[in-house]
Amino acid sequence: MTKANDPLKSIQSRIDELEQTISERGEQIKSRTHQLKKDLQDELSPVELVKRHPVESAGISFVTGILAGRAVRGLISPRKPKAAKKKVTTGEPATKKATIPPELSPLKVALGSIGIELLNTGKDLAITWVKSRVESKTRKPA
């Protein structure tokens, strides 16, 4: 009867070994995940980015200052009214008035300009970051 139980014992021992291996691998994955998270936080922290790219950081600060100044100046200074032009087409009688689009408020204009500049700055930052990542990846194997 011991021979009949031997295959069952070997199967049970194999299952125990596999469970142990699975738990070890799970712990390894958890530790690697925590290490990767820590490395990413260190690499992408604002302080590290400024240390690695001081010129770009200064440029971003400069552009942000200019944009903020323009926005504040646009909100504070009085806006000069523009002369409304009447648009007359050749096929219509001169008595019809053309529709003139309403003027945008200075706040909307300033916010629109800031939004466009922020998008351009973000694009430039993303391109710079991708370039640095590609360069760092190509330097390591060499």
Side-chain angles (χ1 to χ4, degrees):
M1 237 201 244
T2 59
K3 290 183 180 181
N5 288 336
D6 284 340
L8 292 177
K9 287 183 182 180
S10 67
I11 291 173
Q12 184 61 39
S13 67
R14 181 68 180 143
I15 289 172
D16 292 339
E17 289 175 15
L18 289 174
E19 286 176 348
Q20 181 65 26
T21 304
I22 290 171
S23 66
E24 289 172 2
R25 299 287 184 196
E27 291 300 319
Q28 288 175 353
I29 290 172
K30 284 181 184 177
S31 66
R32 287 180 185 171
T33 304
H34 289 299
Q35 184 63 36
L36 179 64
K37 181 181 175 184
K38 183 181 176 214
D39 291 345
L40 282 175
Q41 286 176 343
D42 291 343
E43 189 172 325
L44 297 178
S45 72
V47 174
E48 284 297 316
L49 287 174
V50 170
K51 283 181 183 177
R52 281 186 289 176
H53 307 289
V55 175
E56 289 90 350
S57 300
I60 290 169
S61 298
F62 179 74
V63 170
T64 304
I66 288 174
L67 292 175
R70 287 178 124 187
V72 169
R73 186 174 13 127
L75 293 174
I76 293 174
S77 67
R79 188 171 178 183
K80 295 179 183 178
K82 294 181 179 178
K85 296 181 181 178
K86 292 184 180 180
K87 186 177 180 183
V88 178
T89 58
T90 55
E92 299 176 7
T95 57
K96 279 191 173 181
K97 292 183 181 178
T99 19
I100 300 172
E103 291 187 26
L104 296 175
S105 70
L107 178 61
K108 288 183 180 179
V109 172
L111 289 177
S113 297
I114 289 172
I116 290 170
E117 291 299 324
L118 286 176
L119 286 173
N120 286 333
T121 303
K123 176 195 68 154
D124 292 341
L125 278 175
I127 290 171
T128 304
W129 181 78
V130 167
K131 283 181 182 178
S132 68
R133 296 297 298 166
V134 168
E135 287 174 0
S136 68
K137 294 289 183 186
T138 55
R139 282 188 216 148
K140 285 183 181 178

